[in-house]
């Protein structure tokens, strides 16, 4: 099963149109990424304020299918994938009541903070990628079997 | 027991000083208020985008005792109290590892949205106030007994 | 000249990595869109909390080329374009000291709020699209001439 | 004259009640503080991600008198004051169309980042306090004269 993060839409996520403000959906996806890293015992404080290695986002995109309202119970599942020696990508699906309401992608590069030059993905991150990839694949296989 | 909301500090809560951005602590307290309303079966979408009755915040204050970092596990407990026919106040305590890191208060008035004139607290809100007040009082009594 | 919005990076835009939090770049682009609508004398309050017609974002993407820091002076230029009877897209370029630091796109549909069904772009919005398109084209032509 | 920061309410500042989300008013006040520091030629990036000295907020409060809407033109004036060898306070007034809509205070301490122990306010900050205090006083005197 892909890692799934449950999150209630909060008042501060919304805007005057009464819905979740568009950019906040990407923040919520990033929370799912953080929760998934934590589930692999990665220390948040070290990971996100590391002064030697960092994984900045170089690209993000998001598609919205349905509006999200205050109080909605979101289930965000994510599938990360290595896309180069120094890059990975995460695909997110945001679901409310079994209906997909949004889809997003973030692409990250691994850099040395001082020089901001690229470097190979760290062992810690490789393990996280493998665990989550495997989880996602076994979910995929199960779904294919069920579909037969 | 006062209602307690558990919340992990997320990367988007932090600022370039490496800590939770001060105003976000009030947002996190507001999330605790929302979670407490939900625990009383109050519908979030109706409550927060109601076009007839609303409970805007007229005052807020917050004191910070310790820095909060990405990944910190916050426990926010809240005690609401009626302070007038048309007003209530919520006191929040933010705790990390049994240490109080921040304290906050929000004061709310009940208004009719169209005229923005004050009106008596609704029955729904009165029930929420009573439930949470009672819970907080029994916790208080228990703590006093334990202290004897 | 394409419409340009000037914006200083604020502390609240940043995260614990010391840079602008990725999703906030999309918010800043949205501010540029708002400033551009205002420059066409469109009333913000009516436009964004209109209960009959709205222009929700159905897609957004963003690419990051350089980190942005607290205090950086951003110049965000935008070029909107009609992409269907009920759709428009806005391309944004975020520049610091004449260097492009990020690029983004938002795609919007025009809907009737009550039914959330699509409808033709309003006259007000068409005028805004034409003005900004024309401005962008004349800048384009000038740039071509200068290049000759 | 006290330093005044002009700021248009943006869509991302609002919530599903159609107004500025309460905690965002404190963020907007903090922007005014940043603009005032910049006006004294203080480098934002250094000031806010300084690894030796920092000025964390230990207290904040805010009172709301009128709702603020998307597109509202806010004028935020601020008066800082030294309140101890290692502390200062800033009083903010948020005005729309000559009507005060909110009032806020932030209290800051000067700390050495590594030990998080208090230390005396830096020379740079003392100069900023004096400049802004003097500006505010001369405005006060002018107002008194006008009232005579």
């Amino acid at each position: 099963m892909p890692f799934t993060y449950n999150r209630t839409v909060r008042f501060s996520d919304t805007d005057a149109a009464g819905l979740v403000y568009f950019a906040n959906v990407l923040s919520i996806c990033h929370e799912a990424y953080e929760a998934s890293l934590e589930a692999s015992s990665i220390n948040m404080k070290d990971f996100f304020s590391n002064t030697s290695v960092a994984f900045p986002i170089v690209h993000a995109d998001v598609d919205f299918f349905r509006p999200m309202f205050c109080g909605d119970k979101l289930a965000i599942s994510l599938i990360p994938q290595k896309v180069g020696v120094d890059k990975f990508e995460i695909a997110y699906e945001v679901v409310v009541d079994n209906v997909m309401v949004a889809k997003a992608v973030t692409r990250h590069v691994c850099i040395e903070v001082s020089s901001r030059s690229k470097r190979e993905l760290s062992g810690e991150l490789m393990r996280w990628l493998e665990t989550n990839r495997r989880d996602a694949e076994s979910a995929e296989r199960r779904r294919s079997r069920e579909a037969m």
Side-chain angles (χ1 to χ4, degrees), chain A:
Chain A
M1 273 265 303
F3 180 83
T4 300
Y5 172 68
N6 294 296
R7 167 72 148 73
T8 302
V9 172
R10 296 300 174 197
F11 193 43
S12 64
D13 298 319
T14 62
D15 60 34
L19 313 174
V20 174
Y21 181 68
F22 82 110
N24 290 344
V25 174
L26 284 170
S27 283
I28 293 170
C29 288
H30 199 277
E31 291 181 22
Y33 161 51
E34 295 171 53
S36 152
L37 291 169
E38 272 189 307
S40 290
S41 306
I42 292 176
N43 182 291
M44 287 299 94
K45 191 185 160 187
D46 293 350
F47 191 85
F48 285 107
S49 44
N50 194 323
T51 49
S52 64
V53 183
F55 304 91
I57 291 172
V58 290
H59 171 84
D61 60 69
V62 55
D63 289 281
F64 302 94
F65 309 121
R66 304 261 180 127
M68 290 164 252
F69 298 95
C70 190
D72 275 358
K73 303 295 175 192
L74 308 179
I76 301 104
S77 63
L78 63 84
I79 300 179
Q81 188 170 6
K82 191 180 170 179
V83 292
V85 285
D86 51 12
K87 277 189 205 71
F88 66 96
E89 214 175 77
I90 310 172
Y92 308 85
E93 293 185 356
V94 185
V95 167
V96 177
D97 289 337
N98 296 311
V99 176
M100 209 202 304
V101 295
K103 241 172 95 162
V105 168
T106 55
R107 193 175 307 132
H108 305 243
V109 289
C110 183
I111 62 163
E112 201 183 78
V113 174
S114 54
S115 62
R116 296 203 80 82
S117 61
K118 288 179 190 169
R119 41 160 290 174
E120 276 192 35
L121 298 174
S122 60
E124 190 180 50
L125 202 91
M126 284 301 297
R127 276 188 296 281
W128 170 75
L129 280 167
E130 276 156 33
T131 308
N132 282 278
R133 192 72 205 137
R134 204 168 330 116
D135 287 354
E137 273 165 8
S138 60
E140 200 56 55
R141 271 200 300 278
R142 194 161 46 247
R143 230 176 296 160
S144 313
R145 274 201 305 274
E146 283 165 10
M148 284 198 279

